[in-house]
């Protein structure tokens, strides 16, 4: 099948491009490089040993998007194209709503016009809001989101649900990611945040290579095993493979399906710090800091549905996540080069 990765030059998109190609699929990327660099796509090409058609455009631009569909005959769209910084979304909410929702609407309209019926959407565990019960199961009702970013995921899910109700031929898979970390084992592609990292693992990686002096652990008085927050961290290569399975599923089914992509296991921030130190044989400088607004104390997936229906489950270990993150960061302390 031919797969369009919208936002495919980013962290999850590049890893998905590698796994899609490895599974024998044709890959096309569309990205405006607002949070990624062309070098990332060149590295994917080096890993898969073939040229990947890569289009530089805003995915909300229907005219340019139509040109891609006319040229490439796309079977499945995977929609990664979105802004994703939670704190930034509280400062510029309108840009977040504009970008994250317009991209979906344009994709849906152009897909309809061009007869493409299958879409995989990058959603997030954030749509569950404050967990009332753990683990989080797909049929729990969506909750109250803690940020405009979260609401864009929530609203996109609703838009896609409504589109599927109105058009029974559509096939949409909502993938609710838990906490993707790690990097391809080659160390040539990985997460490349611009500026100060918002997320735990990129921050840890930058402290490990001496780029930042000290990690702040946000809160040590949560009602968890050691007082720090618990999350379900998933290796990005496992996550990428989940998209291959979801795309194959979308080829065979109509309607809307929702899957958690997590491991089902929660680790605390302190456990992650200790694991990173142990696996990479180093010491991380860290200090406790006040809680970060909007953080829930614990969040982890019930991962059974993806296993039963997609035949997918996470295979990589916490050690893999720690080792691969450090390898990527050590080889690329400044991230991808410009240009
Ligand atoms: P990323 O920022 O690395 O990748 C997103 C890509 O989309 C970037 O290359 C960016 O340049 C591109 N993009 C953004 N707006 C665009 C537009 N209008 N037109 C074209 N390209 C555009 O992020 P990621 O970590 O790879 O995440 C991919 C998707 O998964 C996002 O939708 C994100 O919200 C979602 N998600 C990510 C996480 C996570 O922790 N990384 C968790 C849950 C959900
Ligand atoms: N965290 C932290 N220090 C940091 C970044 C994150 O202590 O510099 C904590 C954060 O409070 C949360 C966990 O690490 O408990 C995971 O945060 P992240 O932003 O990576 O993912 P989230 O679950 O918020 O999407």
């Amino acid at each position: 099948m031919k797969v369009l990765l919208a936002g495919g030059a980013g962290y999850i998109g590049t890893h998905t491009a590698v796994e899609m190609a490895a599974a024998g699929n044709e890959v096309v990327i569309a990205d405006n490089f607002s949070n990624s660099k062309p070098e990332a796509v060149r590295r994917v090409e080096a890993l898969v040993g073939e040229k990947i058609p890569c289009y530089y455009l805003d995915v909300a631009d229907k005219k340019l998007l139509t040109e891609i569909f006319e040229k490439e005959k796309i079977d499945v769209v995977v929609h990664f194209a979105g802004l994703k910084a939670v704190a930034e979304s509280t400062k510029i909410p309108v840009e977040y709503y504009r970008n994250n929702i317009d991209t979906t609407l344009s994709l849906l309209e152009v897909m309809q016009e061009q007869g493409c019926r299958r879409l995989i959407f990058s959603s997030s565990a954030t749509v569950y809001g404050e967990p009332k019960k753990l683990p989080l199961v797909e049929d729990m009702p969506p909750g109250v989101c803690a940020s405009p970013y979260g609401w864009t995921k929530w609203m996109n899910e609703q838009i896609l649900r409504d589109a599927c109700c109105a058009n029974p031929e559509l096939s949409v898979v909502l993938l609710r990611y838990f906490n993707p970390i790690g990097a391809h084992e080659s160390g040539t592609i990985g997460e490349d945040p611009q500026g100060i990292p918002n997320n735990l693992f990129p921050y840890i990686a930058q402290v490990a290579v001496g780029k930042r002096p000290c990690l702040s652990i946000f809160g040590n008085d949560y009602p968890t095993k050691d007082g720090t927050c618990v999350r379900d961290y998933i290796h990005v290569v496992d996550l990428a493979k989940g998209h291959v399975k979801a795309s194959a599923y979308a080829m065979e089914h109509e309607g809307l399906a929702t899957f958690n992509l997590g491991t089902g296991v929660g680790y605390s921030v302190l456990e992650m710090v200790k694991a990173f130190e142990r696996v990479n044989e180093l010491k991380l400088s860290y200090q406790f800091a006040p809680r970060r607004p909007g953080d829930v104390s614990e969040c982890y997936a019930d991962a059974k549905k993806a296993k039963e229906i997609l035949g997918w489950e996470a295979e990589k270990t916490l050690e893999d996540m720690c080792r691969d993150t450090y390898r990527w960061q050590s080889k690329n302390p400044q991230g991808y080069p410009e240009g």
Side-chain angles (χ1 to χ4, degrees):
M1 66 191 160
K2 194 180 257 196
V3 186
L4 174 64
L5 305 182
Y11 173 46
I12 302 170
T14 45
H15 290 83
T16 302
V18 172
E19 298 308 320
M20 283 284 182
N25 301 300
E26 284 182 81
V27 175
V28 176
I29 289 177
D31 205 297
N32 65 358
F33 298 106
S34 58
N35 196 36
S36 53
K37 302 210 180 97
E39 174 66 11
V41 178
R42 291 194 283 273
R43 298 214 184 161
V44 171
E45 291 177 329
L47 282 171
V48 303
E50 60 192 51
K51 198 101 188 94
I52 292 178
C54 180
Y55 296 88
Y56 175 19
L57 79 159
D58 184 331
V59 167
D61 185 327
K62 282 184 65 182
K63 189 169 166 287
L64 295 178
L65 205 51
T66 301
E67 287 173 17
I68 298 181
F69 276 81
E70 282 173 347
K71 197 161 167 225
E72 300 285 355
K73 305 285 172 240
I74 302 295
D75 296 304
V76 182
V77 175
V78 187
H79 178 14
F80 299 106
L83 301 172
K84 64 159 185 177
V86 174
E88 184 184 61
S89 79
T90 64
K91 301 200 176 73
I92 49 167
V94 178
E95 273 181 50
Y96 270 67
Y97 288 113
R98 168 68 77 191
N99 190 69
N100 292 5
I101 291 173
D102 264 7
T103 45
T104 306
L105 296 176
S106 294
L107 276 168
L108 280 175
E109 286 176 351
V110 173
M111 285 170 64
Q112 168 100 21
E113 287 158 14
Q114 298 292 321
C116 177
R117 301 185 290 104
R118 304 171 193 98
L119 178 79
I120 315 300
F121 178 67
S122 296
S123 191
S124 162
T126 190
V127 299
Y128 290 109
E130 176 86 46
K132 292 185 184 63
K133 227 177 123 200
L134 287 165
L136 293 163
V137 188
E138 289 87 344
D139 58 10
M140 288 174 169
V144 173
C145 296
S147 68
Y149 165 75
W151 284 115
T152 69
K153 294 296 174 196
W154 194 103
M155 289 176 191
N156 269 312
E157 285 203 358
Q158 190 57 41
I159 289 166
L160 291 165
R161 218 169 273 127
D162 290 341
C164 282
C165 281
N167 178 359
E169 286 196 343
L170 251 186
S171 174
V172 172
V173 181
L174 306 176
L175 296 178
R176 292 180 178 160
Y177 310 156
F178 281 68
N179 287 60
I181 60 171
H184 189 267
E185 62 175 9
S186 64
T188 60
I189 57 171
E191 188 165 12
D192 181 20
Q194 310 300 302
I196 301 170
N198 300 298
N199 299 111
L200 178 66
F201 244 52
Y203 207 106
I204 286 181
Q206 293 196 4
V207 173
V209 298
K211 198 171 166 189
R212 309 218 169 256
C214 180
L215 169 74
S216 291
I217 295 181
F218 301 137
N220 61 349
D221 58 351
Y222 284 98
T224 59
K225 42 192 151 186
D226 58 22
T228 65
C229 290
V230 168
R231 296 286 181 277
D232 183 339
Y233 296 92
I234 173 163
H235 197 295
V236 67
V237 170
D238 279 333
L239 192 78
K241 289 178 178 164
H243 294 73
V244 179
K245 295 282 191 184
S247 299
Y249 175 89
M251 293 295 287
E252 305 288 327
H253 297 82
E254 287 167 352
L256 183 113
T258 306
F259 298 99
N260 288 337
L261 293 185
T263 64
V265 179
Y267 290 106
S268 74
V269 176
L270 265 180
E271 284 175 329
M272 296 305 284
V273 168
K274 296 294 165 202
F276 194 95
E277 290 184 328
R278 175 172 49 77
V279 171
N280 296 310
E281 298 177 355
L282 49 77
K283 279 277 167 221
L284 290 168
S285 167
Y286 67 86
Q287 65 190 13
F288 291 111
R291 290 183 178 198
R292 184 173 70 175
D295 277 342
V296 300
S297 62
E298 242 177 305
C299 170
Y300 53 89
D302 180 321
K304 285 200 283 293
K305 186 177 173 192
K307 184 174 180 186
E308 280 163 19
I309 295 178
L310 298 180
W312 171 91
E313 68 181 322
E315 289 168 350
K316 293 196 177 267
T317 62
L318 181 57
E319 284 69 30
D320 296 327
M321 301 185 213
C322 293
R323 194 194 51 239
D324 293 340
T325 299
Y326 187 51
R327 185 184 295 119
W328 151 254
Q329 193 69 53
S330 309
K331 283 181 136 185
N332 305 273
Q334 306 307 327
Y336 294 113
E338 293 292 343

